[in-house]
Amino acid sequence: MNVPPGGLTCFEVLAQLSDLLDGTLAAPQRQRVELHVAGCGDCARFGGAVARLIAGLRTGAVQGEGGGEALPGAVASRLDAAWRRALDPP
Amino acid sequence: MTDAADDDAVLLRRSAAGDADAFARFVARHRAGVHRFATMLARDAHDAEEVLQQTFVQAYRGAAGARVDGGARPWLLTIARHALARLRRVAQAGPDTVSLEQLGREAGFADPAATPERVAAAVESRQLLHTALKALPAGDREVLVLRELEQLDGARTAAVLGLSLEAMKSRLHRARLRLLAEVRRRLPAGDEP
């Protein structure tokens, strides 16, 4: 009977993929998962795809409309008026 | 090094004592981040602006009791999240019953065509990624926005969501898989990874 790489099945690796990518797996388990990924084309490919997805999100590739670093002037003015009204209720 | 006068806790303490200039500085520092969070989670721009305003009005009222060691952003996003929940007026989603195996399949696990390079090329499109995120259930979108866009650490993300760290990690993992599936669905014909 063939032993899967790292002694883990692909499903077990899928379940731990985010922990691997986030660096939150304890060392012995991380080594087993890494060993599996090194010997499994499917898991290496899928892990790479998820990693690229996360990188795309984290590099600021997506923002909400008008949700960049600068707030539109009119939105900022209305915000300013709202909290100042709370400061000095009529 | 951060000037003590610029520290969130100091600004909030001064705000609570009636210093409007201190609160104006606090608002200026955090308004873009709160607006981005609200925009990604609200139904439309009007609701996002409503959440933005409610968040800072409540922050001002709660300034005296705010616990913001390490920065006020998680506290503000928690207020914003509650404001969003009130606006949505919908019941909380039930438990996520889709198996991890199925989520993985939909995301392209074990699909030889699902290469990292093709995913990387797809997510270079800000519009595609934005549309895919908007298509996710609110709970998935929320954890992704907090953890990946706002880049809160795991513990702070869990605290904002009112979850244990383990529950947050599980939700994050499933949300990533769902987002990858949505990205795949939006690729141009003939370019599905």
Side-chain angles (χ1 to χ4, degrees):
Chain A
M1 182 178 159
N2 288 335
V3 177
L8 298 171
T9 65
C10 292
F11 179 74
E12 288 171 320
V13 170
L14 170 66
Q16 298 175 76
L17 193 53
S18 278
D19 282 333
L20 176 69
L21 296 173
D22 292 338
T24 55
L25 276 183
Q29 189 61 13
R30 188 187 72 235
Q31 286 160 8
R32 293 176 69 200
V33 174
E34 285 174 346
L35 197 59
H36 179 102
V37 172
C40 174
D42 282 347
C43 287
R45 191 167 46 242
F46 191 72
V50 176
R52 298 296 184 95
L53 177 76
I54 295 168
L57 288 168
R58 292 197 152 225
T59 52
V62 62
Q63 304 272 348
E65 301 96 344
E69 285 310 307
L71 203 63
V75 176
S77 297
R78 289 191 292 269
L79 169 62
D80 211 40
W83 70 260
R84 285 185 189 278
R85 271 198 305 276
L87 190 69
D88 297 312
Chain B
M1 186 176 161
T2 307
D3 186 331
D6 286 336
D7 184 79
D8 283 341
V10 172
L11 291 176
L12 287 172
R13 210 161 40 241
R14 289 181 181 166
S15 304
D19 181 345
D21 288 343
F23 196 67
R25 287 169 62 195
F26 180 79
V27 171
R29 176 184 292 176
H30 292 290
R31 63 191 178 189
V34 173
H35 189 240
R36 181 172 55 234
F37 176 76
T39 301
M40 290 306 298
L41 295 171
R43 283 173 300 201
D44 54 33
H46 178 269
D47 276 8
E49 187 170 344
E50 179 68 28
V51 166
L52 177 71
Q53 292 183 10
Q54 284 185 22
T55 299
F56 282 102
V57 167
Q58 287 176 39
Y60 181 76
R61 289 176 177 152
R67 292 163 57 192
V68 295
D69 295 342
R73 205 152 46 117
W75 176 65
L76 283 171
L77 296 180
T78 302
I79 297 173
R81 182 170 180 263
H82 290 151
L84 271 162
R86 281 194 300 274
L87 274 183
R88 282 192 206 120
R89 293 188 185 89
V90 294
Q92 291 292 313
D96 190 342
T97 55
V98 182
S99 74
L100 196 59
E101 214 159 2
Q102 185 181 335
L103 290 177
R105 262 198 313 274
E106 290 172 4
F109 186 70
D111 175 356
T115 66
E117 293 73 22
R118 295 179 86 178
V119 171
V123 300
E124 275 179 13
S125 163
R126 168 179 157 163
Q127 186 57 43
L128 187 148
L129 201 45
H130 182 260
T131 310
L133 259 173
K134 280 287 201 177
L136 294 177
D140 287 346
R141 214 176 331 141
E142 180 168 73
V143 70
L144 287 169
V145 169
L146 290 168
R147 191 75 177 90
E148 318 292 17
L149 272 62
E150 297 304 319
Q151 297 187 29
L152 298 187
D153 65 23
R156 288 191 171 92
T157 301
V160 171
L161 295 175
L163 296 172
S164 68
L165 183 59
E166 283 309 308
M168 185 284 295
K169 283 165 63 178
S170 170
R171 185 180 293 184
L172 176 64
H173 185 46
R174 299 169 75 88
R176 285 168 170 169
L177 297 181
R178 280 205 178 90
L179 179 61
L180 186 52
E182 291 294 341
V183 166
R184 292 181 72 225
R185 288 191 191 106
R186 281 163 177 75
L187 290 172
D191 192 30
E192 187 174 334

